[in-house]
Amino acid sequence: SVHTRDQVDLPPPAIDNRLTVHSLWPEIDRISTEQIQAAFEGVGGDIGWQLFAEEGDMKMYRREVEVDGMVMDPLKAMHKVRGVSAREMCHYFFNPRYRYEWETTLETMTIVEEISSDAMVFHQTFKRIWPASQRDALFWSHVRSSSDYAYAVTNHSTTNVDYPANTGACIRLFVTVCLACRSTYPAGEQPTRDNVTTSIAYCSTVNPGGWAPAGVLRAVYKREYPKFLKRFTNYVVQQCRDKPLAM
Ligand code: 16C
């Protein structure tokens, strides 16, 4: 019926065997483990995270990093969402079926390889930011359960002979993204849509891959990252309404 989400579609609770025999597995495992650990770390300490956007439970921090005049500011966002689980959040972030519904920076998305139920390779082109050239990206995406009621999706740039960089109109950018989520509910109760809360940590580092004006780039991400996280979380809440909670 229209009210049931395919259980088979949801991120699997354990790593798919087909992924562990793939040539990308050692890299996927290492980078995912590192990214998930870093995502769950706080923003205190001397690393120097600066708050640049705040709205309700959502807080966004960045560090200003330039390499040869190119902006590569790491971003870290924290949010809390009620009524949806970590697994559901990651399901909608990972599964390409929903991507055009929440991702507003996309021009095109191509599935390059379906590695397993929990890993894929994507090619994406993005809307052009004037006056820079249009960008594209080629990255693997992996969803996993990291502990009880915690799931995460890691996206990281890769290469593929069929998708060479910088041959057409686009400049290839490089991305490392991690959406790490953890759900909690009151001790002694069963989890339900009414009592579950999911904490979200979203970390992103984008290397523009070639010249782009620093001022324009910082103005764009200051607007686009909050827009993305609000839109994506609202989208998941809407999608999950009237569906059984999947922990
Ligand atoms: O994580 C997000 N989306 C995932 C699924 O698509 C995936 C994507 C990662 C790509 C992130 C890079 C996006 C570059 C977009 C450039 C065009 C923006 C157009 C804006 C509208 C005019 O992990 C959610 C991603 C949310 C992205 C927010 C925008 C970040 C901009 C960062 C600066 C990019 C440098 C581009 C150099 C011209």
Side-chain angles (χ1 to χ4, degrees):
S1 91
V2 291
H3 291 301
T4 32
R5 191 200 307 95
D6 276 345
Q7 287 288 322
V8 291
D9 263 21
L10 287 163
I15 308 277
D16 188 326
N17 289 328
R18 280 177 297 163
L19 173 55
T20 62
V21 296
H22 192 276
S23 59
L24 279 172
W25 166 246
E27 177 186 300
I28 291 178
D29 189 36
R30 177 176 56 81
I31 292 176
S32 299
T33 305
E34 286 169 10
Q35 287 295 315
I36 294 165
Q37 194 190 334
F40 283 130
E41 276 164 18
V43 285
D46 353 301
I47 308 184
W49 288 106
Q50 327 172 295
L51 185 71
F52 74 90
E54 188 171 12
E55 211 182 304
D57 289 318
M58 185 181 81
K59 287 189 170 64
M60 292 207 164
Y61 304 83
R62 54 94 182 253
R63 282 188 292 125
E64 289 196 14
V65 174
E66 284 176 36
V67 180
D68 297 330
M70 271 196 302
V71 171
M72 302 195 194
D73 299 359
L75 169 110
K76 181 158 187 156
M78 312 287 217
H79 200 2
K80 264 194 175 61
V81 180
R82 272 157 273 274
V84 296
S85 70
R87 194 179 185 200
E88 289 169 328
M89 274 288 165
C90 289
H91 169 69
Y92 289 100
F93 191 74
F94 174 74
N95 196 314
R97 188 192 310 164
Y98 312 108
R99 194 152 309 155
Y100 285 107
E101 293 177 26
W102 58 264
E103 176 63 278
T104 59
T105 69
L106 268 192
E107 196 135 289
T108 64
M109 176 194 64
T110 309
I111 298 172
V112 172
E113 190 179 354
E114 284 196 69
I115 299 176
S116 50
S117 62
D118 52 2
M120 307 186 98
V121 177
F122 296 102
H123 178 258
Q124 293 187 172
T125 62
F126 302 98
K127 290 177 184 161
R128 182 169 171 240
I129 302 176
W130 184 89
S133 309
Q134 193 185 8
R135 262 42 179 193
D136 70 350
L138 182 75
F139 60 91
W140 53 254
S141 184
H142 168 52
V143 62
R144 65 165 59 169
S145 167
S146 58
S147 62
D148 279 354
Y149 308 120
Y151 280 84
V153 179
T154 307
N155 295 341
H156 182 75
S157 282
T158 187
T159 55
N160 183 300
V161 286
D162 297 328
Y163 294 82
N166 308 327
T167 49
C170 285
I171 295 182
R172 181 67 48 89
L173 60 73
F174 304 93
V175 65
T176 304
V177 158
C178 184
L179 177 84
C181 305
R182 184 178 282 147
S183 298
T184 55
Y185 55 92
E189 292 183 22
Q190 286 296 109
T192 67
R193 291 240 177 265
D194 295 326
N195 68 12
V196 75
T197 299
T198 295
S199 300
I200 299 172
Y202 174 83
C203 296
S204 166
T205 304
V206 178
N207 173 340
W211 180 83
V216 175
L217 218 142
R218 288 196 167 110
V220 168
Y221 83 61
K222 280 185 183 173
R223 181 187 70 216
E224 294 297 324
Y225 279 128
K227 184 173 144 194
F228 145 66
L229 199 57
K230 280 189 282 179
R231 184 179 164 91
F232 173 69
T233 52
N234 288 335
Y235 173 77
V236 177
V237 169
Q238 290 304 323
Q239 289 298 304
C240 289
R241 210 160 258 177
D242 306 323
K243 293 192 178 84
L245 177 70
M247 293 290 281

